[in-house]
Amino acid sequence: MFLDSENKTECFGCESCVQICPKKALKMAEDEEGFRYPVVDSTLCNGCMLCRKACPFSEMPEKHGNIYTFGGYNSDKKTRFESTSGGAFSAIVEAFCDENYVVFGAESDGLKVFHNCIFDKKDLGKFRKSKYSQSVIGDSYIKVRNYLKEGKKVLFSGTPCQISGLKSFLKNVETQNLLTVEVVCEGVPSPLYINKMEQSFEKKYGGKIEELDYRYTGKSIFSSGKWDFEGMRIKFNSKSSKEIVRDRWFNPFWSVWLQHLMSRPSCYKCLFATNERTADITLGDLWGVHLYCPELYGKNGGSSLVFCNTAKGKEVFDTASKYMSGHELKFEDALKYQSPMRKTIDENPQRDSFMKDLMSDMSYREINKKWAKRPTLKLLYQKYVWGNRQKIFLWNLKKSLTKGRSNA
Ligand SMILES: Cc1cc2nc3c(=O)[nH]c(=O)nc-3n(C[C@H](O)[C@H](O)[C@H](O)COP(=O)(O)OP(=O)(O)OC[C@H]3O[C@@H](n4cnc5c(N)ncnc54)[C@H](O)[C@@H]3O)c2cc1C
């Protein structure tokens, strides 16, 4: 799909076509909603069609059924704290990267998100934490190809569509030394909204945003220091190094995004919203943990769900699991709480009206006032009074009482 085509649902923005072009006739350009699409310079194009062949929509890379499912968390507390879910990604890097390796992942500079690579595990921190916007792939696939040709072990992590883009790009390359790790994904928000958010905060707090943690688990008045109850932390590079934390349930970003008003068009038709996967390993949050495996709640420091989809993925994860506490889960149980692996998100019928407002000169504040919803009393009751955390607490109490009785 190219920017001149009407059907934007058929472009994930994986950038495979741009990177494969021998004439550099393609580049990515933003459309009016802020999403990036390839544009062709017809004066440079020689009509070789390599771009079409490298597009996952022309030929979708092979998908694999589940062979092993695991729930648990990284045994190293610090790693868990610095990760989004249970730190499974770090355990996998630890297991795969022994020597002559390179790791690719999404890094951020303020609110800008882009793919990069590291050659030393000690730099892994920059890839930890979910950045909830589409990362710019740049020339990462070209680099992967070159490193594989040099004989390096390559770990590439990203969203499912980025993994499919990479695999389409590498069609004729030997990939024995490549391990692909994807995150469960339910879409990416409009960069236009993220830009307005950035401008609004920078104006209000008088500094450039240096760091944004969408799922901050440190303790503050607006975040409980718990994995399923995080705040959003924003750090500014103003003289005072100001830092603010926004409450999770009153944060308009989450409300607007999760109403599916501003996702990339292809996300509503996502071809990866299925239990068959493209990557060797799929990572997510262990949602539903309080309902089917409360022993894996891990004192609420974060818990990961890991799906191994290929023999290679399983082999690496067998070693990775040594750095984790947890156990095997039934695939069907895990799938019940992972809707992005069962169905695509529904496009909000009001998306067009929302986008019109977003593209107008309405401010971030005005947009949120009109579109963000306040949390329901039921939700607030569940989060602040009686919810998963309290249920787990009771479960633990019952367990220790039963243990006490049977020991007596
Ligand atoms: C846009 C997005 C949507 C997600 N939606 C869901 C969901 O609906 N349900 C669910 O269970 N899990 C979802 N996840 C996955 C989840 O948030 C965690 O990333 C995952 O469980 C890994 O956590 P960890 O503790 O093992 O790793 P961490 O150490 O926190 O690792 C983060 C990993 O995510 C990758 N990553 C971070 N940001 C991006 C990005 N913008 N683009 C591509 N890759 C990125 C990094 O490269 C790294 O591999 C989503 C992640 C992203 C980025």
Side-chain angles (χ1 to χ4, degrees):
M1 208 301 297
F2 298 96
L3 194 56
D4 47 1
S5 153
E6 286 298 298
N7 197 359
K8 290 190 174 169
T9 60
E10 291 193 0
C11 179
F12 312 129
C14 73
E15 310 185 31
S16 176
C17 55
V18 174
Q19 295 179 72
I20 204 102
C21 179
K23 294 283 170 193
K24 298 201 180 341
L26 286 116
K27 63 173 188 191
M28 297 299 280
E30 282 178 13
D31 73 352
E32 64 284 4
E33 295 180 348
F35 295 110
R36 289 156 47 86
Y37 293 89
V39 196
V40 192
D41 179 342
S42 51
T43 60
L44 296 175
C45 174
N46 66 358
C48 70
M49 302 302 275
L50 274 177
C51 52
R52 305 273 167 178
K53 288 181 198 145
C55 174
F57 272 96
S58 308
E59 194 188 330
M60 197 49 70
E62 190 187 357
K63 288 189 182 157
H64 314 272
N66 174 265
I67 56 175
Y68 180 73
T69 306
F70 176 93
Y73 46 86
N74 201 303
S75 310
D76 180 53
K77 259 193 180 166
K78 185 171 175 285
T79 303
R80 250 166 105 193
F81 179 75
E82 289 171 1
S83 307
T84 317
S85 310
F89 175 63
S90 300
I92 292 164
V93 170
E94 195 57 48
F96 182 73
C97 301
D98 39 17
E99 54 183 28
N100 199 19
Y101 61 84
V102 51
V103 181
F104 286 79
E107 181 181 349
S108 61
D109 175 11
L111 292 187
K112 314 258 171 307
V113 185
F114 52 93
H115 258 65
N116 203 350
C117 61
I118 56 166
F119 301 89
D120 190 332
K121 285 181 272 189
K122 74 173 179 3
D123 298 325
L124 191 63
K126 57 171 91 167
F127 298 154
R128 288 194 188 117
K129 287 277 179 174
S130 293
K131 295 102 189 161
Y132 290 102
S133 63
Q134 186 165 33
S135 83
V136 172
I137 287 285
D139 58 358
S140 297
Y141 298 167
I142 297 175
K143 287 184 177 154
V144 170
R145 182 180 62 194
N146 295 345
Y147 291 135
L148 285 173
K149 284 187 176 165
E150 281 172 21
K152 272 192 166 31
K153 287 175 88 172
V154 180
L155 189 157
F156 188 93
S157 67
T159 57
C161 51
Q162 290 170 338
I163 303 294
S164 83
L166 172 69
K167 293 210 165 178
S168 299
F169 179 87
L170 293 176
K171 244 176 226 159
N172 302 315
V173 177
E174 174 54 61
T175 55
Q176 206 186 333
N177 281 342
L178 171 71
L179 182 79
T180 50
V181 179
E182 69 186 6
V183 289
V184 174
C185 178
E186 69 162 9
V188 285
S190 162
L192 216 54
Y193 182 89
I194 304 285
N195 290 347
K196 284 205 172 183
M197 177 161 101
E198 184 174 28
Q199 283 160 14
S200 162
F201 278 122
E202 293 190 347
K203 194 167 160 208
K204 185 164 176 191
Y205 294 99
K208 237 192 115 25
I209 294 182
E210 198 173 63
E211 245 181 78
L212 186 144
D213 185 348
Y214 285 91
R215 293 178 58 180
Y216 176 61
T217 46
K219 277 205 174 127
S220 92
I221 165 173
F222 288 126
S223 91
S224 66
K226 304 292 183 191
W227 153 64
D228 47 5
F229 197 90
E230 328 92 335
M232 177 190 271
R233 185 186 62 161
I234 307 175
K235 252 175 109 175
F236 297 87
N237 74 352
S238 53
K239 273 187 203 132
S240 57
S241 303
K242 194 172 173 53
E243 196 177 298
I244 56 164
V245 179
R246 289 275 142 130
D247 179 277
R248 164 71 174 83
W249 314 108
F250 290 91
N251 186 333
F253 165 78
W254 292 108
S255 167
V256 172
W257 185 32
L258 296 176
Q259 288 179 66
H260 303 146
L261 285 162
M262 57 165 174
S263 303
R264 188 180 172 99
S266 58
C267 299
Y268 301 111
K269 303 274 176 206
C270 179
L271 298 177
F272 309 99
T274 146
N275 60 17
E276 293 212 312
R277 315 300 303 170
T278 312
D280 295 303
I281 299 178
T282 306
L283 299 179
D285 286 285
L286 189 50
W287 298 137
V289 54
H290 60 295
L291 296 171
Y292 73 105
C293 47
E295 70 284 2
L296 298 179
Y297 203 46
K299 300 205 174 97
N300 206 346
S303 223
S304 282
L305 180 60
V306 181
F307 297 104
C308 298
N309 313 310
T310 62
K312 192 198 281 181
K314 171 77 168 66
E315 195 186 325
V316 174
F317 190 70
D318 281 346
T319 309
S321 60
K322 295 193 180 112
Y323 303 104
M324 299 185 72
S325 307
H327 57 74
E328 185 174 3
L329 295 172
K330 266 200 203 151
F331 179 56
E332 295 72 25
D333 288 343
L335 205 57
K336 258 193 241 163
Y337 304 97
Q338 278 299 348
S339 63
M341 287 176 60
R342 295 195 317 270
K343 57 185 176 64
T344 52
I345 51 171
D346 291 324
E347 180 169 342
N348 191 313
Q350 291 184 290
R351 186 183 187 278
D352 283 351
S353 318
F354 172 81
M355 278 299 175
K356 241 184 229 153
D357 285 347
L358 189 62
M359 290 185 282
S360 74
D361 56 9
M362 272 174 88
S363 69
Y364 178 68
R365 208 158 166 248
E366 287 164 335
I367 284 168
N368 291 328
K369 200 167 169 209
K370 180 165 173 191
W371 292 97
K373 288 188 177 154
R374 296 209 147 253
T376 60
L377 282 176
K378 187 179 166 201
L379 180 83
L380 292 177
Y381 177 78
Q382 281 171 349
K383 295 300 169 189
Y384 290 98
V385 184
W386 186 255
N388 301 350
R389 283 180 297 141
Q390 291 77 9
K391 284 179 199 162
I392 297 270
F393 173 74
L394 264 196
W395 180 84
N396 275 324
L397 192 70
K398 258 192 215 157
K399 206 174 98 179
S400 47
L401 285 177
T402 325
K403 207 169 154 195
R405 255 185 244 129
S406 61
N407 284 345

